């Protein structure tokens, strides 16, 4: 407690700035709401995702990296809890008659994309969601990662036609409920995730056999703790899953991040070249339509920008915002390499840690599990590189 009070004196309360930011964000919501259906909602959900990520420090990089480096599995277990919540929620959404959108072909492109993405996120120090969250917190290195991420997305969009012919178009779409029925599919998903949770607990006990968590002091509930105190990992994971399910139920499209990056790359190309790239990826009807909407008319973009502002709001509410400079030059090179790898991997796998992994598994699609295997392999490679050259 003394340390927290000292921190508050050094930084000063940033809550008044959080209030101003919240009011401005509300004004943007009303402006977007007047521009077209769904735009205001996308903005609000983005704010929610960013705020929850920031207050809970929910980090997919730590979930995949820490078991290899430190043996700590607390974040990884929170991801499993979030997935179980999302699986149940997406089942309820499907029972209303809405199709689950993140069901894609499962093939070697999925594994390759996961491997590249997993390696890149460890080198960059942030995945897709973590990158945007840390941009909102003021981490200047993550701006470098974001620019490289967009470049990698553009690169992957350029090569997408080759991947479509080599693997994506040849790979099956495996949706578990269509094969074994909804009941067995739900049981399989929950049992598999439960087994992973127990395995993670066992792994941590092997690393820390004598560790006993200290009992927590009971504190009286205060509303201010909601924004001024950090959340637990599992609280953040459940909140993210609930937001994801609600977003899917409201709009039919679950949370996604990196597809918008490919649009940003296309718009940057248009600025310098005078026209959008005439590539297979950008000529697909859904992407062409999204590009024609423009920056402030494209819902995925508003989700991403809202996430950044939501994280900024969360850091101000907790009096934690400050600009962070890169600590060492080699980390900048790692940031560029990591961003490029994540951008390219997300395009060929048709999603990132959110769209391919989290929502793929939550949508009962085999490609989500395959991408997860690629992430684990990539996180191992990235961890080895991190320990060998950067730490």
């Amino acid at each position: 407690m003394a340390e927290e009070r000292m921190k508050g004196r050094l930084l000063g309360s940033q809550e008044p700035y959080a209030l101003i930011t919240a009011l401005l964000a509300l004004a943007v919501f009303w402006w977007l709401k007047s521009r077209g259906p769904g735009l205001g909602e996308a903005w609000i959900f983005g704010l929610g995702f960013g705020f929850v990520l920031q207050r809970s420090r929910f980090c997919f990089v730590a979930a995949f990296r820490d078991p290899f480096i430190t043996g700590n599995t607390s974040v990884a277990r929170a991801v499993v809890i979030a997935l179980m919540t999302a699986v149940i929620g997406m089942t309820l959404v499907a029972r209303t008659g809405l199709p689950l959108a993140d069901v894609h072909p499962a093939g070697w492109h999925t594994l390759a994309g996961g491997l590249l993405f997993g390696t890149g996120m460890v080198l960059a120090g942030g995945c897709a969601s973590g990158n945007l969250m840390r941009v909102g917190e003021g981490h200047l290195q993550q701006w470098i990662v974001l620019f490289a991420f967009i470049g990698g997305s553009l690169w992957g969009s350029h090569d997408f036609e080759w991947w479509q012919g080599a693997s994506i178009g040849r790979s099956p779409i495996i949706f578990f409920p269509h094969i074994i029925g909804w009941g067995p599919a739900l049981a399989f998903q929950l049992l598999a995730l439960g087994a992973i949770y127990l395995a993670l607990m066992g792994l941590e006990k092997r690393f820390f056999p004598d560790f006993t968590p200290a009992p927590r002091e009971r504190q009286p509930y205060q509303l201010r703790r909601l924004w001024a105190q950090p959340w637990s990992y599992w609280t953040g994971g459940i909140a993210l899953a609930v937001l994801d399910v609600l977003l899917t139920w409201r709009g039919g499209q679950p949370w996604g991040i990196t597809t918008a990056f490919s649009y940003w790359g296309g718009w940057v190309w248009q600025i310098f070249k005078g026209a959008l790239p005439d590539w297979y990826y950008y000529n697909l009807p859904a992407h062409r339509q999204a590009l024609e909407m423009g920056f402030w008319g494209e819902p995925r973009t508003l989700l991403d920008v809202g996430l950044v502002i939501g994280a900024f709001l969360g850091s101000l509410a907790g009096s934690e915002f400050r600009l962070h400079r890169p600590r060492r030059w080699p980390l900048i090179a790692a940031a560029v390499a990591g961003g490029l790898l994540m951008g390219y991997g997300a395009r060929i796998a048709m999603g990132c840690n959110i769209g391919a992994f989290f929502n793929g598994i939550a949508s009962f699609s085999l490609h989500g599990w395959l991408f997860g295997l690629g992430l684990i392999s990539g996180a191992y490679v990235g961890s080895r590189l991190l320990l060998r050259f950067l730490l």
Side-chain angles (χ1 to χ4, degrees), residues 38 146 237 243 292 306:
L146 178 58
L243 283 172
E292 291 172 353

Side-chain angles (χ1 to χ4, degrees), residues 140-159:
L140 299 180
Q141 180 175 312
Q142 291 303 313
W143 280 97
I144 300 172
V145 174
L146 178 58
F147 293 142
F149 211 140
I150 295 170
S153 297
L154 190 64
W155 181 15
S157 300
H158 175 272
D159 292 352

Side-chain angles (χ1 to χ4, degrees), residues 100-180:
L100 299 182
D102 271 332
V103 180
H104 298 298
W108 67 274
H109 66 280
T110 315
L111 285 168
L115 175 64
L116 293 174
F117 193 95
T119 304
M121 72 178 186
V122 172
L123 293 178
C127 55
S129 52
N131 167 249
L132 293 181
M133 185 266 286
R134 288 179 176 83
V135 165
E137 285 185 318
H139 290 264
L140 299 180
Q141 180 175 312
Q142 291 303 313
W143 280 97
I144 300 172
V145 174
L146 178 58
F147 293 142
F149 211 140
I150 295 170
S153 297
L154 190 64
W155 181 15
S157 300
H158 175 272
D159 292 352
F160 189 81
E161 183 175 9
W162 185 89
W163 286 96
Q164 176 70 26
S167 179
I168 298 172
R170 300 170 180 265
S171 301
I173 296 176
I174 299 180
F175 181 53
F176 296 139
H178 282 178
I179 299 175
I180 58 176

Side-chain angles (χ1 to χ4, degrees), residues 66 69-74 201-212:
D66 289 358
I69 295 182
T70 67
N72 188 316
T73 66
S74 55
M201 286 187 63
L203 175 66
E204 186 166 304
K205 285 186 179 296
R206 284 200 296 271
F207 273 87
F208 308 101
D210 300 322
F211 175 74
T212 302

